[in-house]
Every structure is written in C-alpha cells, then in structure tokens.
Amino acid sequence: MSKRVIILAGGKGIRLRPYSFVLPKPLMPIYKESVLEILIKQLSFFGFKHITLAINNRADLFKALFSNQKKYGVKLDFSIEKKELDTIGPLKLLKNLPENFLVINGDILTDLNFKYFYNYHIKKKSLLTLCSHTIISKIDYGVIETNKDDILTNFKEKPNKKVEVSMGIYMLNKKIINNIPKNMKFGFHQLLGSMVKTNKDIHVYRSNKLWFDIGKAKDLSEATDYFLKYKKKFIRV
C-alpha cells in the first residue's frame, strides 16, 4: 500500500495579510512554483503516492490548480470542510485511512527527509510523533530575574532564547481519530494537551534540517531568498 499524507491547506492566512487576500498561504510563490507544489513533489519523491488536500478557504482555487494528478505522479484528492474545523478536526472527515499516515501543514518549506521521519514513527510504534526544530527566538523586552525576596538579581536586555518548536509535521496512527470530536473545531494543541494529560506517549523526532513556516511576509521573503540560493537542498524540485 502506498504511503498516505494529508496536507492541511484550509487556513485563511491572517498573519500573511494583505498577501493572503489574493492567495492562500500554501499557494504563495517561491520562485517559479508555489509552496504547496514544492511540497507535493518532495512527498512524491519520498514515496507518498496518495496525497489528500484538506481545504476550506478558496477550495475552488485549489481544485482548479491541482486537478492534473499526472503532473505530480501521485493520487491527489480533496477533503473539503463545509465549515472551519481548525488543524486536526478535518481528519475526522477522512475515510479508509491507513494504519499510519503523515499530516503536514501546507505552508511549510523544508528539506526534511520524510522517509526517515515515517520510519522513525513506525519503529517507535507511536500513536503520534511530531517533528521538532530548534530556533533562536529574540525576546523583545528586558527580561528580569528575582530572588525569593523579590530583589532583582539579573537583567537581560532583549535576550535571545533557544527553544524547541513544532514544525507542523506529524505522523499519526489512525487510532488517534477516536480522540477527535465530529463536526467541531479541534486543533493540534487540544489533541496534544489531552494526550499528555492522559499519559499517552507522544514521540518527538528532532530535525536539524532547513525549515521555514510561511506565516508572515518576512518569513516568505526569507524562504524565497534561501530557496533561490540553495535550491539543490530541496530534493527533486
């Protein structure tokens, strides 16, 4: 059976306005192709031959642009939300899911080896595996530290902090679907929170690969610059 992936592409891209008034985030151009086209080609290269686009906002545009399946060498279909279901709710609409499948945000540019990530999840026999990336985040305030008597012990002006973040790339076992409410908005943060509370294991796959989340105009610009400079890092695009 071919490996399955669900690409979440239904968001409105509020942080990327005014650009997203014209195009949804996954359709933003990175040089000659959209973010989503690059992602689909990468997934096809790594053996994901059944790709489902979970869409809501501008659904007709996605269907028009990705109707030619032969172009990408995959089975490409659509799951359309009649109302907004957030980031994990759309999975409840899908039928005949395999035992394990990949879920990824449609506005990501990365050179992650999706095959390695898939195999890691299978090896761990995990219900859910998320892919993480370490970033340096600048805090735009003066950060203070105090002792137990509320006396200032340290002050750091706009320090940089190393944090580990979710890349918006997940492997799921289909048993997870039982934890998703039907016909309701339900986000990954809610799913992860409920699993942690009930002591269900969530494995983390740490990646040092390139990763851009096309959330803001600055992110799109940086991703485009990097893609043009290091295009060969992005396999088969």
Side-chain angles (χ1 to χ4, degrees), residues 8-41:
L8 304 173
K12 293 183 178 179
I14 294 174
R15 291 183 300 151
L16 198 55
R17 289 176 178 173
Y19 302 104
S20 56
F21 282 129
V22 180
L23 287 173
K25 278 198 300 180
L27 300 183
M28 290 293 163
I30 300 286
Y31 188 41
K32 295 181 179 180
E33 297 180 300
S34 68
V35 178
L36 186 54
E37 286 178 286
I38 294 169
L39 181 57
I40 289 173
K41 288 183 177 181

XYZ file of all heavy atoms in Angstrom, residues 8-41:
270
model
N -2.700 19.923 5.280
C -3.679 20.874 5.811
C -3.511 22.223 5.114
O -2.498 22.904 5.292
C -3.495 21.017 7.319
C -3.580 19.710 8.129
C -3.212 19.962 9.586
C -4.966 19.091 8.025
N -4.497 22.585 4.294
C -4.375 23.798 3.486
C -5.641 24.651 3.551
O -5.950 25.385 2.609
C -4.063 23.418 2.036
N -6.345 24.578 4.673
C -7.640 25.262 4.758
C -7.641 26.587 5.487
O -8.685 27.227 5.600
N -6.486 27.011 5.987
C -6.442 28.235 6.776
C -6.612 29.505 5.951
O -6.439 29.506 4.729
N -6.905 30.611 6.640
C -7.128 31.892 5.966
C -5.863 32.749 5.873
O -5.872 33.785 5.210
C -8.226 32.669 6.698
C -9.601 32.020 6.590
C -10.670 32.857 7.272
C -12.038 32.226 7.114
N -13.104 33.010 7.779
N -4.794 32.342 6.547
C -3.535 33.073 6.438
C -3.614 34.496 6.958
O -3.092 35.430 6.344
N -4.247 34.673 8.120
C -4.472 36.019 8.665
C -3.166 36.774 8.883
O -3.063 37.969 8.596
C -5.270 35.925 9.983
C -6.682 35.392 9.695
C -5.355 37.286 10.666
C -7.507 35.113 10.930
N -2.128 36.072 9.358
C -0.854 36.751 9.645
C -0.134 37.209 8.376
O 0.769 38.044 8.443
C 0.067 35.820 10.438
C -0.393 35.525 11.857
C 0.621 34.659 12.571
N 0.812 33.388 11.890
C 1.947 32.685 11.918
N 2.985 33.142 12.583
N 2.041 31.540 11.283
N -0.520 36.655 7.226
C 0.155 36.990 5.974
C -0.623 38.028 5.146
O -0.307 38.277 4.005
C 0.378 35.717 5.155
C 1.430 35.762 4.035
C 2.783 36.201 4.558
C 1.523 34.420 3.340
N -1.648 38.597 5.737
C -2.365 39.648 5.022
C -1.486 40.884 4.868
O -0.631 41.138 5.721
C -3.652 40.002 5.808
C -4.706 38.911 5.736
C -5.908 39.250 6.582
N -6.936 38.196 6.461
C -8.034 38.156 7.191
N -8.266 39.090 8.099
N -8.914 37.183 7.025
N -1.605 41.620 3.745
C -2.663 41.561 2.725
C -2.428 40.535 1.621
O -3.288 40.344 0.781
C -2.654 42.981 2.156
C -1.232 43.401 2.250
C -0.727 42.797 3.543
N -1.245 39.882 1.597
C -0.957 38.936 0.518
C -2.001 37.827 0.440
O -2.399 37.403 -0.651
C 0.433 38.314 0.710
C 1.551 39.322 0.767
C 2.149 39.664 1.980
C 2.015 39.952 -0.380
C 3.166 40.596 2.039
C 3.043 40.886 -0.334
C 3.618 41.201 0.877
O 4.621 42.126 0.933
N -2.432 37.336 1.600
C -3.364 36.208 1.620
C -4.793 36.597 1.239
O -5.652 35.735 1.126
C -3.339 35.535 2.995
O -3.620 36.466 4.026
N -5.039 37.896 1.040
C -6.330 38.289 0.470
C -6.411 37.819 -0.989
O -7.491 37.581 -1.520
C -6.517 39.810 0.525
C -6.909 40.322 1.881
C -6.208 41.359 2.470
C -7.982 39.778 2.572
C -6.569 41.847 3.724
C -8.353 40.254 3.827
C -7.641 41.289 4.399
N -5.239 37.704 -1.633
C -5.164 37.310 -3.037
C -4.994 35.803 -3.178
O -5.701 35.149 -3.943
C -4.001 38.038 -3.743
C -3.928 37.626 -5.209
C -4.144 39.540 -3.602
N -4.049 35.234 -2.416
C -3.755 33.808 -2.491
C -3.693 33.193 -1.100
O -3.158 33.811 -0.172
C -2.402 33.574 -3.177
C -2.299 33.784 -4.681
C -0.844 33.659 -5.118
C -3.166 32.788 -5.440
N -4.197 31.975 -0.910
C -3.992 31.264 0.358
C -2.499 31.014 0.572
O -1.728 30.913 -0.400
C -4.744 29.944 0.144
C -5.703 30.217 -0.966
C -5.039 31.218 -1.850
N -2.093 30.881 1.818
C -0.663 30.712 2.126
C 0.012 29.582 1.344
O 1.120 29.769 0.832
C -0.472 30.479 3.630
C -0.455 31.750 4.448
C 0.155 31.543 5.823
C -0.586 30.515 6.647
N 0.032 30.339 7.992
N -0.592 28.392 1.244
C 0.099 27.319 0.526
C 0.344 27.604 -0.950
O 1.167 26.933 -1.589
C -0.858 26.127 0.695
C -1.636 26.441 1.924
C -1.835 27.920 1.881
N -0.354 28.591 -1.499
C -0.206 28.917 -2.913
C 0.734 30.094 -3.153
O 0.910 30.541 -4.291
C -1.573 29.209 -3.534
C -2.589 28.060 -3.463
C -3.881 28.447 -4.169
C -2.020 26.774 -4.058
N 1.358 30.587 -2.090
C 2.318 31.674 -2.240
C 3.512 31.195 -3.071
O 4.025 30.093 -2.872
C 2.806 32.155 -0.871
C 1.748 32.883 -0.070
S 1.298 34.449 -0.840
C -0.253 34.789 0.007
N 3.961 32.020 -4.015
C 5.057 31.581 -4.889
C 6.413 31.628 -4.203
O 6.739 32.579 -3.503
C 4.991 32.585 -6.044
C 4.385 33.824 -5.432
C 3.420 33.340 -4.389
N 7.168 30.553 -4.428
C 8.583 30.515 -4.065
C 9.330 30.339 -5.390
O 9.421 29.233 -5.920
C 8.909 29.337 -3.129
C 8.113 29.437 -1.834
C 10.411 29.267 -2.848
C 8.582 30.499 -0.876
N 9.785 31.421 -5.948
C 10.389 31.431 -7.279
C 9.331 31.072 -8.316
O 8.351 31.787 -8.466
C 11.599 30.499 -7.310
C 12.429 30.565 -8.580
C 12.695 31.790 -9.195
C 12.943 29.421 -9.165
C 13.455 31.863 -10.353
C 13.707 29.482 -10.327
C 13.950 30.701 -10.914
O 14.698 30.757 -12.064
N 9.437 29.927 -9.005
C 8.525 29.612 -10.113
C 7.328 28.767 -9.702
O 6.407 28.562 -10.501
C 9.291 28.891 -11.225
C 10.355 29.739 -11.898
C 11.045 28.949 -12.996
C 12.102 29.803 -13.697
N 12.788 29.040 -14.783
N 7.339 28.233 -8.491
C 6.264 27.353 -8.047
C 5.757 27.778 -6.680
O 6.436 28.506 -5.953
C 6.759 25.905 -7.996
C 7.163 25.349 -9.350
C 7.649 23.916 -9.247
O 8.634 23.683 -8.527
O 7.037 23.046 -9.882
N 4.582 27.290 -6.339
C 4.037 27.610 -5.030
C 4.667 26.717 -3.956
O 5.262 25.674 -4.264
C 2.520 27.412 -5.033
O 2.194 26.034 -5.158
N 4.518 27.144 -2.713
C 4.991 26.332 -1.585
C 4.386 24.930 -1.657
O 5.081 23.926 -1.465
C 4.596 27.002 -0.246
C 5.031 26.135 0.930
C 5.194 28.380 -0.130
N 3.111 24.859 -1.959
C 2.412 23.582 -1.984
C 2.912 22.674 -3.107
O 3.056 21.456 -2.916
C 0.909 23.815 -2.127
C -0.002 22.590 -2.040
C 0.251 21.809 -0.750
C -1.468 23.006 -2.124
N 3.190 23.221 -4.269
C 3.717 22.420 -5.376
C 5.075 21.814 -5.018
O 5.336 20.636 -5.299
C 3.852 23.275 -6.624
C 2.542 23.598 -7.305
C 2.750 24.481 -8.518
O 3.027 25.686 -8.339
O 2.649 23.970 -9.645
N 5.931 22.612 -4.403
C 7.244 22.115 -3.985
C 7.077 20.966 -2.997
O 7.723 19.920 -3.101
C 8.079 23.254 -3.366
C 8.407 24.311 -4.417
C 9.362 22.708 -2.739
C 9.004 25.581 -3.853
N 6.177 21.143 -2.044
C 5.934 20.137 -1.018
C 5.402 18.837 -1.633
O 5.853 17.735 -1.278
C 4.947 20.681 0.010
C 4.577 19.784 1.185
C 5.815 19.364 1.958
C 3.591 20.495 2.096
N 4.454 18.936 -2.543
C 3.889 17.743 -3.179
C 4.963 16.972 -3.936
O 5.019 15.730 -3.879
C 2.724 18.141 -4.113
C 1.516 18.581 -3.280
C 2.340 16.977 -5.028
C 0.376 19.151 -4.097
N 5.834 17.666 -4.650
C 6.903 16.996 -5.386
C 7.870 16.288 -4.433
O 8.338 15.180 -4.717
C 7.656 18.009 -6.247
C 6.862 18.490 -7.451
C 7.682 19.429 -8.300
C 6.914 19.863 -9.539
N 7.717 20.764 -10.407
